[in-house]
Amino acid sequence: MAWKQTALLLLVCIATTCSARDRADLLNVCMDAKHHKTKPGPEDKLHDQCRPWKKNACCSVNTSQEIHKDSSRLYNFNWDHCGKMTPECKRHFIQDTCLYECSPNLGPWIQQVDQSWRKERILNVPLCKEDCQEWWEACLTSSTCKTDWHKGWDWTSGINKCPDTAACNTFQYYFPTPASLCEGLWSHSYKVSNYSRGSGRCIQMWFDSTQGNPNEEVVKFYASLVASRAAPHSVVLLVPSLVPMLSLRLLG
């Protein structure tokens, strides 16, 4: 039985990145970040691509509107830093931002950070493989100058600009694989899952809200694995792609 206990402990840490929060705080929660509400709740008038979260959201109507603007005041971040981003590509970045700002189902992957603009972030959220693949394909012909958009920009003008040492090139040049985009872009906020949409084991960026929010099932599954302080943060963080293998071993 010892190997099963060890495997379960690893599964908990892999699936949740050993969240700093207690189990009770993993469900239906908002991050302590720049634009998030303190508690999730209904927002009937969320804008456009953020509307799937209107029944229970961590974002306000104003935030959802700003997300869709080319010159958004949320972070003064310019998507078009290397020329005009294609509409197909920008659509995925908007959806990514809606998930980040609006979802109350990211609790197991929330981590504390010491940053001036937020106290918490997400780390290694298991993103459904189709969401990553489609994002990457939509952006292949758009251009950028960096592989990690969280850091290293020139902010002297008040908006992000490429540093002098960074040359503009296609997304395909900087992100040769889907995983290199989804995992590297925001400092490992996401981890590409081996699971597909509808599996109940990966977070969906895209979903039909008339059928409910599938991420509610996902977060309940991972939160159910978490015992309070199940493992210290010093435990090596293994990749979420091992979850299917360990799950089968445990079930077997």
Side-chain angles (χ1 to χ4, degrees), residues 25 28 35 43 53 58 65 67 77 79 84 88-90 93 104 115 118-119 129 142 147 155 165 174 209-210 221:
D25 295 328
N28 197 38
H35 300 292
E43 294 285 351
W53 288 273
C58 288
Q65 292 171 338
I67 288 171
F77 194 91
W79 305 119
K84 194 71 173 176
E88 295 80 8
C89 180
K90 189 169 293 184
F93 276 94
Q115 296 176 329
R118 62 180 180 180
K119 294 182 179 179
K129 59 183 180 181
S142 291
T147 56
W155 289 98
T165 56
Y174 280 104
S209 60
T210 63
F221 169 76

Side-chain angles (χ1 to χ4, degrees), residues 18-244:
C18 296
S19 173
R21 290 177 172 231
D22 293 327
R23 182 178 180 180
D25 295 328
L26 299 179
L27 300 175
N28 197 38
V29 294
C30 300
M31 273 179 282
D32 186 352
K34 188 172 184 179
H35 300 292
H36 288 70
K37 294 159 46 177
T38 55
K39 294 182 179 180
E43 294 285 351
D44 292 338
K45 296 183 179 180
L46 288 187
H47 186 61
D48 200 4
Q49 288 181 225
C50 295
R51 290 188 66 193
W53 288 273
K54 67 179 183 179
K55 290 184 179 179
N56 194 34
C58 288
C59 61
S60 66
V61 173
N62 180 66
T63 296
S64 72
Q65 292 171 338
E66 288 293 325
I67 288 171
H68 291 76
K69 295 180 180 179
D70 288 339
S71 300
S72 172
R73 292 175 294 177
L74 292 181
Y75 302 102
N76 293 325
F77 194 91
N78 179 23
W79 305 119
D80 301 326
H81 51 269
C82 278
K84 194 71 173 176
M85 181 182 283
T86 66
E88 295 80 8
C89 180
K90 189 169 293 184
R91 184 168 166 265
H92 285 269
F93 276 94
I94 291 172
Q95 197 72 10
D96 159 53
T97 311
C98 286
L99 175 67
Y100 172 78
E101 298 288 350
C102 301
S103 178
N105 299 310
L106 301 173
W109 304 281
I110 292 176
Q111 296 286 304
Q112 294 179 353
V113 290
D114 183 16
Q115 296 176 329
S116 61
W117 55 284
R118 62 180 180 180
K119 294 182 179 179
E120 292 181 323
R121 63 162 294 185
I122 50 174
L123 184 66
N124 290 335
V125 172
L127 184 66
C128 293
K129 59 183 180 181
E130 299 94 337
D131 283 5
C132 182
Q133 180 72 31
E134 292 175 8
W135 188 358
W136 182 74
E137 290 177 355
C139 293
L140 285 176
T141 60
S142 291
S143 296
T144 185
C145 58
K146 289 173 50 56
T147 56
D148 188 337
W149 287 15
H150 263 157
K151 56 189 178 182
W153 297 101
D154 177 357
W155 289 98
T156 55
S157 66
I159 62 172
N160 61 303
K161 291 185 176 181
C162 296
D164 293 337
T165 56
C168 289
N169 215 318
T170 64
F171 267 63
Q172 189 169 20
Y173 174 85
Y174 280 104
F175 305 109
T177 65
S180 64
L181 170 67
C182 301
E183 296 176 4
L185 185 73
W186 300 124
S187 304
H188 300 284
S189 291
Y190 297 119
K191 184 73 180 178
V192 181
S193 175
N194 284 334
Y195 285 110
S196 297
R197 294 170 183 159
S199 65
R201 299 296 181 266
C202 61
I203 292 293
Q204 292 184 214
M205 194 177 292
W206 300 90
F207 58 91
D208 180 2
S209 60
T210 63
Q211 305 297 317
N213 187 334
N215 295 328
E216 293 177 359
E217 177 187 352
V218 178
V219 73
K220 287 177 182 178
F221 169 76
Y222 287 117
S224 70
L225 300 177
V226 179
S228 181
R229 307 303 180 195
H233 282 263
S234 58
V235 173
V236 176
L237 301 179
L238 300 177
V239 297
S241 59
L242 292 178
V243 173

